[in-house]
Amino acid sequence: MRRLLFLLPLSLLFAACGGSSSPSAGGGPVMQMIQISEKEYSLTPGTVTISKTGTYDFRVTNNGTIAHALEIQGNGVEKKIGDIQPGASATLRATLSKDGSYEIYCPIDGHRDSGMEGDLTVGAAMGGGSTGTTEDEGSTTSDDGYGYGSG
Ligand SMILES: [Cu+2]
């Protein structure tokens, strides 16, 4: 029975070593791929919500009839992908390391003003309601300063 006791932890070691090896080259692991469709002049979906920070692939498909592009901007992030021809798609990889709001839009002249823009929110999972829109307005933060310890 001594031998069995010795073999057990060894096999555990092997199991631990043979972890999943990701084929992705460089950067962190991609958390998720987000599909975005572009056309004149809108982004679909117009609102993207991501529950946690990390590296994401934005798969942009141009369903329009002219070339489009995509830019993500906010919280120190500025990522852009060049012209995507009609019917083509491209992937924009962005590392969103901070919770907050980001802007997504088509940086081609006039397209954003015409409606090719959307909101990207990171970290919305905290305090999110189950259904409907939850607008928390003016949470009363009573800051009463009792001087404990003074005496
Ligand atoms: Cu465009």
Side-chain angles (χ1 to χ4, degrees):
M1 274 317 184
R2 248 190 125 96
R3 199 170 280 170
L4 192 82
L5 276 170
F6 180 74
L7 279 170
L8 234 150
L10 234 169
S11 62
L12 277 173
L13 244 167
F14 274 116
C17 284
S20 58
S21 55
S22 57
S24 61
V30 176
M31 311 281 286
Q32 194 186 328
M33 184 183 274
I34 293 142
Q35 306 270 357
I36 293 177
S37 167
E38 295 192 302
K39 65 175 167 56
E40 304 82 32
Y41 290 96
S42 64
L43 301 182
T44 307
T47 305
V48 178
T49 305
I50 293 166
S51 59
K52 53 183 175 179
T53 56
T55 300
Y56 291 87
D57 274 350
F58 293 84
R59 185 75 175 163
V60 187
T61 304
N62 185 352
N63 290 313
T65 54
I66 58 171
H68 291 297
L70 190 79
E71 185 159 343
I72 297 174
Q73 204 177 345
N75 300 297
V77 174
E78 192 169 352
K79 282 277 184 179
K80 186 177 168 181
I81 197 163
D83 287 11
I84 304 161
Q85 297 306 315
S89 54
T91 304
L92 173 60
R93 182 166 295 180
T95 300
L96 311 168
S97 53
K98 288 178 190 164
D99 285 350
S101 295
Y102 298 77
E103 295 174 309
I104 51 174
Y105 59 91
C106 176
I108 293 173
D109 266 1
H111 290 200
R112 185 183 184 177
D113 289 340
S114 300
M116 293 191 72
E117 62 178 337
D119 299 309
L120 171 62
T121 306
V122 179
M126 38 183 165
S130 52
T131 48
T133 49
T134 319
E135 294 266 327
D136 62 321
E137 40 189 87
S139 53
T140 48
T141 318
S142 54
D143 196 19
D144 40 8
Y146 286 118
Y148 283 114
S150 60

PDB file of all heavy atoms in Angstrom, residues 71-80 105:
ATOM      1  N   GLU A  71     -14.059  52.755 -33.828  1.00  0.00           N
ATOM      2  CA  GLU A  71     -13.137  53.245 -32.808  1.00  0.00           C
ATOM      3  C   GLU A  71     -13.768  53.084 -31.444  1.00  0.00           C
ATOM      4  O   GLU A  71     -14.970  53.298 -31.270  1.00  0.00           O
ATOM      5  CB  GLU A  71     -12.786  54.715 -33.073  1.00  0.00           C
ATOM      6  CG  GLU A  71     -11.743  55.259 -32.111  1.00  0.00           C
ATOM      7  CD  GLU A  71     -11.011  56.488 -32.640  1.00  0.00           C
ATOM      8  OE1 GLU A  71     -11.064  56.762 -33.859  1.00  0.00           O
ATOM      9  OE2 GLU A  71     -10.385  57.180 -31.832  1.00  0.00           O
ATOM     10  N   ILE A  72     -12.938  52.700 -30.485  1.00  0.00           N
ATOM     11  CA  ILE A  72     -13.369  52.598 -29.090  1.00  0.00           C
ATOM     12  C   ILE A  72     -12.543  53.591 -28.302  1.00  0.00           C
ATOM     13  O   ILE A  72     -11.315  53.607 -28.404  1.00  0.00           O
ATOM     14  CB  ILE A  72     -13.148  51.176 -28.535  1.00  0.00           C
ATOM     15  CG1 ILE A  72     -14.003  50.168 -29.305  1.00  0.00           C
ATOM     16  CG2 ILE A  72     -13.468  51.115 -27.039  1.00  0.00           C
ATOM     17  CD1 ILE A  72     -13.735  48.728 -28.908  1.00  0.00           C
ATOM     18  N   GLN A  73     -13.213  54.418 -27.539  1.00  0.00           N
ATOM     19  CA  GLN A  73     -12.514  55.470 -26.831  1.00  0.00           C
ATOM     20  C   GLN A  73     -13.082  55.682 -25.442  1.00  0.00           C
ATOM     21  O   GLN A  73     -14.294  55.671 -25.248  1.00  0.00           O
ATOM     22  CB  GLN A  73     -12.615  56.769 -27.637  1.00  0.00           C
ATOM     23  CG  GLN A  73     -11.513  57.751 -27.342  1.00  0.00           C
ATOM     24  CD  GLN A  73     -11.616  58.985 -28.223  1.00  0.00           C
ATOM     25  OE1 GLN A  73     -12.315  59.007 -29.221  1.00  0.00           O
ATOM     26  NE2 GLN A  73     -10.929  60.025 -27.832  1.00  0.00           N
ATOM     27  N   GLY A  74     -12.191  55.864 -24.501  1.00  0.00           N
ATOM     28  CA  GLY A  74     -12.627  56.166 -23.144  1.00  0.00           C
ATOM     29  C   GLY A  74     -11.703  55.560 -22.119  1.00  0.00           C
ATOM     30  O   GLY A  74     -11.059  54.533 -22.360  1.00  0.00           O
ATOM     31  N   ASN A  75     -11.610  56.188 -20.965  1.00  0.00           N
ATOM     32  CA  ASN A  75     -10.804  55.697 -19.847  1.00  0.00           C
ATOM     33  C   ASN A  75      -9.367  55.371 -20.254  1.00  0.00           C
ATOM     34  O   ASN A  75      -8.785  54.383 -19.815  1.00  0.00           O
ATOM     35  CB  ASN A  75     -11.463  54.466 -19.221  1.00  0.00           C
ATOM     36  CG  ASN A  75     -12.854  54.765 -18.701  1.00  0.00           C
ATOM     37  OD1 ASN A  75     -13.022  55.573 -17.798  1.00  0.00           O
ATOM     38  ND2 ASN A  75     -13.853  54.148 -19.290  1.00  0.00           N
ATOM     39  N   GLY A  76      -8.815  56.225 -21.081  1.00  0.00           N
ATOM     40  CA  GLY A  76      -7.431  56.038 -21.514  1.00  0.00           C
ATOM     41  C   GLY A  76      -7.255  55.062 -22.662  1.00  0.00           C
ATOM     42  O   GLY A  76      -6.145  54.831 -23.114  1.00  0.00           O
ATOM     43  N   VAL A  77      -8.348  54.498 -23.124  1.00  0.00           N
ATOM     44  CA  VAL A  77      -8.285  53.547 -24.230  1.00  0.00           C
ATOM     45  C   VAL A  77      -8.640  54.256 -25.528  1.00  0.00           C
ATOM     46  O   VAL A  77      -9.590  55.041 -25.578  1.00  0.00           O
ATOM     47  CB  VAL A  77      -9.258  52.367 -24.001  1.00  0.00           C
ATOM     48  CG1 VAL A  77      -9.302  51.441 -25.214  1.00  0.00           C
ATOM     49  CG2 VAL A  77      -8.865  51.598 -22.756  1.00  0.00           C
ATOM     50  N   GLU A  78      -7.846  54.039 -26.547  1.00  0.00           N
ATOM     51  CA  GLU A  78      -8.207  54.539 -27.864  1.00  0.00           C
ATOM     52  C   GLU A  78      -7.779  53.502 -28.889  1.00  0.00           C
ATOM     53  O   GLU A  78      -6.613  53.361 -29.203  1.00  0.00           O
ATOM     54  CB  GLU A  78      -7.548  55.885 -28.141  1.00  0.00           C
ATOM     55  CG  GLU A  78      -8.146  56.537 -29.372  1.00  0.00           C
ATOM     56  CD  GLU A  78      -7.723  57.988 -29.533  1.00  0.00           C
ATOM     57  OE1 GLU A  78      -7.096  58.549 -28.632  1.00  0.00           O
ATOM     58  OE2 GLU A  78      -8.020  58.551 -30.600  1.00  0.00           O
ATOM     59  N   LYS A  79      -8.738  52.746 -29.333  1.00  0.00           N
ATOM     60  CA  LYS A  79      -8.470  51.661 -30.270  1.00  0.00           C
ATOM     61  C   LYS A  79      -9.283  51.872 -31.526  1.00  0.00           C
ATOM     62  O   LYS A  79     -10.452  52.213 -31.474  1.00  0.00           O
ATOM     63  CB  LYS A  79      -8.844  50.313 -29.635  1.00  0.00           C
ATOM     64  CG  LYS A  79      -7.814  49.800 -28.652  1.00  0.00           C
ATOM     65  CD  LYS A  79      -6.708  49.088 -29.392  1.00  0.00           C
ATOM     66  CE  LYS A  79      -5.716  48.472 -28.400  1.00  0.00           C
ATOM     67  NZ  LYS A  79      -4.652  47.747 -29.127  1.00  0.00           N
ATOM     68  N   LYS A  80      -8.638  51.654 -32.646  1.00  0.00           N
ATOM     69  CA  LYS A  80      -9.292  51.954 -33.905  1.00  0.00           C
ATOM     70  C   LYS A  80      -8.979  50.865 -34.918  1.00  0.00           C
ATOM     71  O   LYS A  80      -7.883  50.319 -34.923  1.00  0.00           O
ATOM     72  CB  LYS A  80      -8.761  53.301 -34.393  1.00  0.00           C
ATOM     73  CG  LYS A  80      -9.421  53.847 -35.618  1.00  0.00           C
ATOM     74  CD  LYS A  80      -8.800  55.220 -35.897  1.00  0.00           C
ATOM     75  CE  LYS A  80      -9.173  55.734 -37.262  1.00  0.00           C
ATOM     76  NZ  LYS A  80      -8.544  57.041 -37.514  1.00  0.00           N
ATOM     77  N   TYR A 105     -17.742  54.186 -31.997  1.00  0.00           N
ATOM     78  CA  TYR A 105     -18.274  54.934 -33.132  1.00  0.00           C
ATOM     79  C   TYR A 105     -17.460  54.696 -34.398  1.00  0.00           C
ATOM     80  O   TYR A 105     -16.354  54.187 -34.361  1.00  0.00           O
ATOM     81  CB  TYR A 105     -18.323  56.431 -32.809  1.00  0.00           C
ATOM     82  CG  TYR A 105     -16.989  57.052 -32.463  1.00  0.00           C
ATOM     83  CD1 TYR A 105     -16.191  57.625 -33.446  1.00  0.00           C
ATOM     84  CD2 TYR A 105     -16.532  57.043 -31.152  1.00  0.00           C
ATOM     85  CE1 TYR A 105     -14.963  58.199 -33.136  1.00  0.00           C
ATOM     86  CE2 TYR A 105     -15.299  57.611 -30.830  1.00  0.00           C
ATOM     87  CZ  TYR A 105     -14.522  58.183 -31.818  1.00  0.00           C
ATOM     88  OH  TYR A 105     -13.312  58.728 -31.503  1.00  0.00           O
TER      89      TYR A 105
END
